[in-house]
Amino acid sequence: MQLHGIHHLTAVSADAPGNHDFYTRVLGMRLVKKTVNQDDTSAYHLFYADGIASPGSDLTFFDWPAPPERRGTGSIVRTALRVSGEAALRAWAKRLEAAGVRAGPLGEFDGRLRIEFEDPEGQRLTLLDDGGAGEAHPWAKSPVPAAEQIRGLGPITISVPDLRRSEPFLTEVLQMRRGRAYRTGDTQPVEVQVFEMGEGGPAAELHVRVEPHLPRATPGAGGVHHVAFRVRDEEYGYWVDRYTKLGLRSSGPVDRFWFRSLYVREPSGILYELATDGPGFATDEPMDRLGETLSLPPFLEPQRAAIERGLKPL
């Protein structure tokens, strides 16, 4: 049994209206679910994805009034957004410049073309050429032309202080494969180890930077809360049982209504989630109306009026 790639990544924003503007207008992603954090209903949980809310395309945000993240190790440090081809990346370089977004140059790194940049709150992002592998589901209403739209997530990069503690969790517990390694940085080179899932490729890679010299990260706006890996619906029970048999301190089964989840922290403190592909975001809304109104799971519907009063308009 193996994981099948990146499912979603959840980050933190202290500015929901600004966040919504940047990810829909500048990056052209579709808001596919406007809901709340199920454990803190005072906060939005916003899901941006491709045209049909495909698993593996969701970049999501909790809206918390937090100070900026203090960067460091023991954290998720960069999220790649996949596009297809050098022409698309060159168009993105112009688009980001026109939007006033400071971005690095288009260059090749680890064998792939990319552009690195940050959102207005310091969220570290990369636009990466995935070679056009796999299906694409552009959003017809995006301000970005279909051929240039973001196709999905991956790779995700984390920072750990000690690979000797983190690697066994990835390979023995989560059953990822250790793949290639590379080094990055000029003044203080960093070793990066690539771990692969499923069929591999950028949509199914976790890149692990080994940085014992850094302080521990402090969570905050512009940082990442957790990363989720894909499991098929019928495989979910296997992973619940596996965590139990291994004696892991996990969340146990969690039903998020649109998918089922299972959470655990790896030895460096990074939160990993396993998430099923289904039932999907069209469970309670028509596909052509996703994200247009506040969507709540059934167990929160009795609190809708109070929840809506506590949320600021987007």
Side-chain angles (χ1 to χ4, degrees):
M1 194 70 69
Q2 59 185 328
L3 305 176
H4 302 284
I6 308 301
H7 185 281
H8 69 267
L9 179 133
T10 297
V12 179
S13 170
D15 177 17
N19 179 273
H20 177 262
D21 177 73
F22 183 82
Y23 286 90
T24 59
R25 181 182 60 82
V26 178
L27 296 191
M29 301 180 77
R30 183 183 184 188
L31 179 65
V32 296
K33 191 63 60 176
K34 180 169 66 172
T35 185
V36 294
N37 182 316
Q38 294 180 12
D39 304 307
D40 174 11
T41 59
S42 68
Y44 277 117
H45 192 181
L46 305 176
F47 290 75
Y48 307 102
D50 66 7
I52 62 169
S54 304
S57 70
D58 295 311
L59 180 57
T60 93
F61 289 86
F62 294 144
D63 170 39
W64 282 330
E69 173 200 37
R70 188 184 73 182
R71 294 177 177 178
T73 192
S75 64
I76 299 166
V77 298
R78 185 167 293 276
T79 303
L81 307 171
R82 295 181 288 107
V83 299
S84 179
E86 182 176 349
L89 283 173
R90 292 194 180 281
W92 272 106
K94 294 178 181 178
R95 182 174 295 108
L96 293 175
E97 182 180 14
V101 178
R102 295 182 61 183
L106 171 62
E108 184 174 323
F109 187 73
D110 186 34
R112 295 168 180 151
L113 289 172
R114 66 185 64 204
I115 298 172
E116 294 186 345
F117 66 105
E118 296 182 4
D119 80 0
E121 295 181 280
Q123 188 68 229
R124 288 169 281 182
L125 303 167
T126 297
L127 288 164
L128 178 140
D129 177 16
D130 68 359
E135 297 181 350
H137 303 283
W139 178 36
K141 296 181 181 180
S142 174
V144 177
E148 299 165 7
Q149 286 183 32
I150 292 166
R151 294 159 44 86
L153 303 185
I156 305 299
T157 302
I158 69 172
S159 171
V160 302
D162 187 352
L163 187 62
R164 293 171 299 179
R165 297 186 66 211
S166 295
E167 180 180 3
F169 194 92
L170 294 172
T171 58
E172 297 172 20
V173 176
L174 296 182
Q175 301 182 148
M176 296 185 188
R177 305 181 301 277
R178 182 167 180 166
R180 67 190 182 280
Y182 60 90
R183 295 180 74 81
T184 180
D186 297 323
T187 57
Q188 195 167 18
V190 174
E191 176 190 353
V192 183
Q193 180 65 52
V194 177
F195 292 87
E196 301 171 333
M197 297 164 269
E199 297 180 359
E205 289 179 357
L206 184 70
H207 291 207
V208 182
R209 297 172 62 96
V210 183
E211 298 177 296
H213 58 284
L214 294 182
R216 289 200 62 84
T218 300
V224 176
H225 188 267
H226 67 269
V227 61
F229 306 119
R230 292 179 65 182
V231 299
R232 297 190 177 111
D233 297 6
E234 65 273 16
E235 298 168 347
Y236 180 72
Y238 164 84
W239 288 99
V240 173
D241 291 343
R242 180 172 178 78
Y243 280 17
T244 300
K245 290 175 182 177
L246 290 173
L248 298 179
R249 295 180 60 186
S250 76
S251 64
V254 180
D255 188 349
R256 296 300 188 194
F257 184 60
W258 302 288
F259 49 86
R260 288 178 292 168
S261 297
L262 183 64
Y263 301 86
V264 69
R265 290 193 183 275
E266 62 92 51
S268 295
I270 296 170
L271 183 61
Y272 291 151
E273 175 185 356
L274 304 185
T276 59
D277 284 352
F281 289 124
T283 299
D284 60 338
E285 296 180 300
M287 181 62 72
D288 63 351
R289 302 291 299 275
L290 292 180
E292 293 183 6
T293 59
L294 182 68
S295 180
L296 297 176
F299 77 91
L300 288 179
E301 275 296 342
Q303 304 173 46
R304 175 176 286 274
I307 289 172
E308 289 181 337
R309 285 195 300 269
L311 296 173
K312 29 184 197 292
L314 282 182

